[in-house]
Amino acid sequence: MMKRFFKILLWIIVGAVFVGTFIYLYLNSKKEADKYSLKYPTTETIEKTTVLTGKIEPRDEIDIKPQISGIISEILVEAGDHVNNGDIIARIKVIPEESQLSSALNRVSVAEIALEEARRVFERTKSLYEKKYESREKYESDETSLERAKRELEQARDQLKIVREGVSSANAQGSNTLVRSTVTGVVLEVPVKVGSSVIQSNTFNDGTTIAKVADMTDLIFRGKVDETEVDLLREGMDVSITVGAIAGSAYPAVIEKIAPMANDENGTNTFEVKAALDAGDGTHLRAGYSANANVILERADSVLAVPESVVEYEGDKAYVYVLQDSVPSQKFDRMEIKTGLSNGLVVELKSKGITNKTPLRGNVIKE
């Protein structure tokens, strides 16, 4: 009897284990329904923006060049100095060319001979005129010739001085040896040193730049925009300039010019954009600063919007999932919607029937 009892008990235990195993495997094989977070539409102001990379430049950067060739004997300014129109920037020592010097010396010699001859003629005419043997017309003519010979000698000597020293006796203050600023502004660069050879600008040579001067209160942003966005820009659009070297900077600017022709850079077409910068007194900005221009391409004020993550795109259509029931599990209906402006994070919702109280399916909640 006991033997039979234990046999039955063993079968009961084996059956219980079998049933338990079956139930365990069944429950684990059954997939639980996903649970989603809920998102609600909100009222947003959506802006579609683009960023232009570029740098800060003076509107007009002037290269100061010498009017004569020679050697820099003195430099009176350095980068960062403020100069006024007409201020002396440098002095040049003239190194005359042998041909020019020889020609100037020869001209002086000829003028001296001509003067001596004119003096002898005049003295002879004067003596005869005083004795009533020569006419007054002849006397006055020879006197004029003498004065002309004197002037010609003065001019020859002055020309010789210019060739030798670059300085005119008649205009020493305005001498070509004095390099003066042609504008009022800040010296950006002095690329020469004392002792450097410089040449004047002519039809065959641009000449040596003594200094670069610019008005740092009149600045522009010069940047580039991709061809895919250039048609969204317009002259007169407001932009905000951010300078990486100045924390928290946001200088207002207005687009002045958009290049009509593209530049090919590594296979990408870009267009140059120039914007007038309102930098106030400009004391914190320096020429060549790297900067970004933030441009608002499109704007939608106070519109109903949903996160891009809740929108499902299929071809040219967009859908959201609207919560219909949450008991015993969440049930959503797929609804086609019409979208508007997007900034990549949220998208404008133009469909009727959805309000800021409509629960939409969000991301799966991981337990």
Side-chain angles (χ1 to χ4, degrees), residues 251-276:
Y251 298 99
V254 177
I255 294 178
E256 285 187 338
K257 291 292 181 182
I258 303 172
M261 185 175 72
N263 293 319
D264 187 356
E265 293 187 354
N266 300 321
T268 301
N269 284 338
T270 59
F271 292 80
E272 186 177 80
V273 177
K274 184 172 72 173

Side-chain angles (χ1 to χ4, degrees), residues 166-232:
V167 179
S168 170
S169 300
N171 188 25
Q173 292 299 319
S175 168
N176 291 343
T177 60
L178 303 178
V179 181
R180 299 178 182 271
S181 175
T182 57
V183 294
T184 296
V186 175
V187 178
L188 303 180
E189 181 185 10
V190 182
V192 296
K193 298 179 179 180
V194 173
S196 299
S197 297
V198 296
I199 57 175
Q200 67 186 101
S201 177
N202 53 48
T203 55
F204 303 103
N205 197 295
D206 290 337
T208 305
T209 298
I210 304 296
K212 294 179 182 289
V213 180
D215 181 1
M216 292 301 291
T217 63
D218 188 9
L219 302 173
I220 63 171
F221 167 84
R222 192 184 301 275
K224 295 179 180 179
V225 61
D226 189 84
E227 63 179 349
T228 58
E229 296 180 329
V230 68
D231 282 342
L232 299 175

